Amino acid sequence: MQGNITLGFYVPGQSFIHRLDPRTKILACLAITMAVLFCNHPAGFAALSLVTLLALGLARVTPQLLLGILRPFGIFLVLALLLQLLFTPGRPLMMLGPLQLTREGVHFGFQLLWRLVLLIISGSLLTLTTSPLMITAAMEDLLKPFRRVGVPVFELAMMMSIALRFVPTLLEEAQQIIRAQQSRGAAFTRGGLVQRVQGLVTLLVPLFASAFRRADELATAMEIRCYRAGANRTRMHQLRFHCRDYAVLAGTGVLFLIVLVMRWWG
Amino acid sequence: MKMDGGRAMILVEHLTHIYAPGTPLALTSLEDVSLHIEEGEFVVLAGATGSGKSTLVQHFNGLLLPTAGRVLVGGRDTRDKKVRRDLWRTVGLLFQNPEQQLFEESVFAEVAFACRNLGLDEKTVEVRVCRALEMVGLEPDRYRALSPFALSRGQQRLVALAGLLAYQPPVLVLDEPTSGLDPAAREQIWQLLKKLQQAGHTVVVITHHMEDAARFAGRVVVLHRGKIYRQGTPRQVFSDPGGLRAVGLDVPMPCELMYCLQQKGLPVKSGIITLDEAELELKNLAMG
Amino acid sequence: MCKISIQGLTHIYNYGQPGERVALQEINGEISQGELLAIIGPNGSGKSTLARHINALLLPTCGTVTVDGLTTADPASRWEIRRRVGMVLQNPDNQLVASVVEEEVAFGPENLGLPPDEVRQRVDRALSVAGLVEQRLRPPHLLSGGQKQRLAIAGALAMKPSCLVLDEPTAMLDPAGRREVMQTLLNLNRQDGLTVVLVTHFMEEAVLADRIWVLSGGRLVMDGTPAQVFRCREALQKIGLALPGPAELAWRLRNCGWPIPDGIYRLEELVTCLVDLLTRNRSGGGLS
């Protein structure tokens, strides 16, 4: 019953962000990521936070969905914060047993936390609003110039999209294999480490064997439909920039430049 | 249905199963299903895709827990986690396309897997594995050292089946054991299952090959959208071809034939399910 | 126009090596435009191997296979042959490449380097013929078995082939899925004039063909209309094939002296014939 799994947790929709060209979204995400990493000025953070909030609104992301995005990273975020709070040297604020909480710790800790949150949100906005297929198409297009230096861009893109297509199928098969092995007495959730590893073998060997067999059959199926590596394929979906794409690209580009300027001159 | 002195090996009472309850993806796969399977019976479970057959049988070996109602296997309630954990020893379940589960380096090890999980000593394992391989028609000496991955799909299917038979669970449950096989291989498997039932096993088979069900099943249970649509002897169940087709199943050709003749006004007897019976009935009709 | 000519075709796997195996021996036959040809035979008879020669997936060890005058052995013709002869395989999952239905159908035309508008047109048409327009934006893993095979057919159709070869396309499907696929194929053949070559072990599918080739041990042992082929009960039994149910019953009754015409192999025909005979009998026609 896991039929609704799609990698990257893509949720189809018609929001402004959904309708942007996937290349725009990749480039904008890249620009914002770089800006977040380079930013060291409170005004910069404020601007980035506002932009991110705007993007969330434009993508019609509900607070529940937002929490759902951040929850898997919860422990990681808390740990990152704590490490910074307790292990940054500087002017002490208070003592907690053998560890001390410093002013710098608080500053860098919350700065790191905020950076991480912004990074997670911007990455998630990309995968939430763009199907894996579109992401692959965009990557293929953006990396086209590298074809000239011999990088097999189209083939890599084909490999990636096939891999994405098979993720749900393989996940389903993995679940099926686990059920079959449990029905023969294999232990996956009981026993010591050795038993669990043995249990894992009963899952991984068949899964790999199956993946190879599928690959073989799929290669035949592709040949049947005249697929040839290196040949000139066309695409039914043509990626096209619209005004909104130029606007978003310009906006995020400018933001990135401003942050950069503030860092080197501020 | 009256129980004629047999013990209920599997008792299902008002079973309801809901996948992912409470979430937006919740799906009721079984609704208020009540069923009993007696020791030594040969039961066929039939139904279109999505009717709940696979979900139902996974309650028999403890893979699934009822959302409501209960399932008793050999008198023990599967809602108890301890019961579910060891239920595989009593109820052996072979899923569809069991070639998927092969992982060992040799056919011998593959067939011995469940036996070894039972904790049997190697001498017993040796005996059982060889016997199981013989039963499915794979000569032990020839096949034991081969890699399961070097075999044809039909042979892999037999190896998986041997793995089930080797550890001798009293109840055998097989989900579409003949799917994708040619008629000769199908016949071989059905004959084997009949022999096993005659040797005392309780056999439950999920299939949509109604011609085979007609010949081998003692009882047929038809599921539709998570509920029991009809159950009874093959003769009883196949007497309504229209109804069965409406729930996505085929009827054996002899039933279809008799039904058509009936529709055209001929006084054919009801309950004909095999070719031989059809032949006899037509001859009887001709003699007046 | 599609005319496939097979002359002296022999295929030996691992030719010249220790594990040599002769899969096809001296096959001679012709397939004309618009035919629905069924290829039947017991397991290991070479049906799949033969199917793969028609679209140049396999090359002959001896003999030639020509499609519209193009030889499969000629590397320059290979891709044109594969455009003209589409193929659908047995496993629904392992022939689907894309993560969205309409992208799957577009795969073939995209490989041909066609302009995007034309690709879009072909995709729309193929989806409509295969009855999958409503599923166009769904991921393939959410489709039923029957829908997946129809998707594979749509993917082949988008290349505008003149012939479609299908290797046991319904073996892994349930009855509903089988019906869907067969109906689609019949429509393509009867209404659109597409040549269809169907490799199958289901007699109920073979009876729908215009012509049947029977393979045994790598040889083409019978080539004729269904009526002609199903007349040879003994010969078929010797190779390990059974007659379709209605043909078997007709044979048995004929054997007892009933005046059932030769060449009855479909249920409807048998019903009509029996109704006729039995009503005449009751009004004094004398059958027994």
Side-chain angles (χ1 to χ4, degrees), chain A residues 151-206:
Chain A
V151 177
V153 175
F154 289 160
E155 287 73 22
L156 285 172
M158 175 65 63
M159 276 160 44
M160 190 165 138
S161 70
I162 291 176
L164 287 171
R165 124 94 186 111
F166 272 97
V167 164
T169 308
L170 287 176
L171 274 174
E172 243 177 83
E173 187 171 2
Q175 288 170 340
Q176 184 63 6
I177 293 174
I178 291 177
R179 280 193 285 252
Q181 308 297 31
Q182 282 176 326
S183 301
R184 304 159 79 189
F188 285 99
T189 53
R190 306 191 306 267
L193 188 63
V194 176
Q195 273 168 312
R196 292 196 193 207
V197 168
Q198 284 175 341
L200 217 59
V201 169
T202 69
L203 167 63
L204 293 177
V205 172

Side-chain angles (χ1 to χ4, degrees), chain B residues 48-49 96-97 153 176 179-184 186 208-209 245 248-250 253 256-258 260-261 264-267 275-276 278-279 282-283 285-288, chain C residues 42-43 47 90-91 168 171-176 178-179 201-202 240 244-249 252-253 256 258 267 270-272 274-275 278-279 281-282 287-288:
Chain B
T49 316
Q96 204 171 1
N97 297 318
R153 204 185 66 200
E176 310 259 14
S179 105
L181 298 181
D182 64 292
R186 282 214 308 263
H208 53 249
H209 290 285
R245 218 159 322 127
L249 286 177
D250 277 336
M253 192 279 298
E256 185 85 46
L257 178 69
M258 291 297 139
C260 290
L261 293 176
K264 302 268 184 188
L266 289 173
L275 208 61
D276 297 324
E279 192 187 343
L282 287 170
K283 289 186 180 156
L285 262 183
M287 290 198 276
Chain C
N43 211 24
K47 312 190 290 285
Q90 194 187 91
N91 189 319
E168 303 200 22
M172 295 182 146
L173 304 181
D174 63 4
R178 248 188 278 145
R179 271 195 288 267
H201 59 242
F202 289 116
E248 173 71 23
L249 191 55
R252 292 190 192 186
L253 294 171
C256 297
W258 287 41
L267 189 64
L270 185 61
V271 168
T272 318
L274 287 175
V275 167
L278 289 168
T279 38
N281 183 52
R282 291 164 82 209
L287 258 176
S288 46

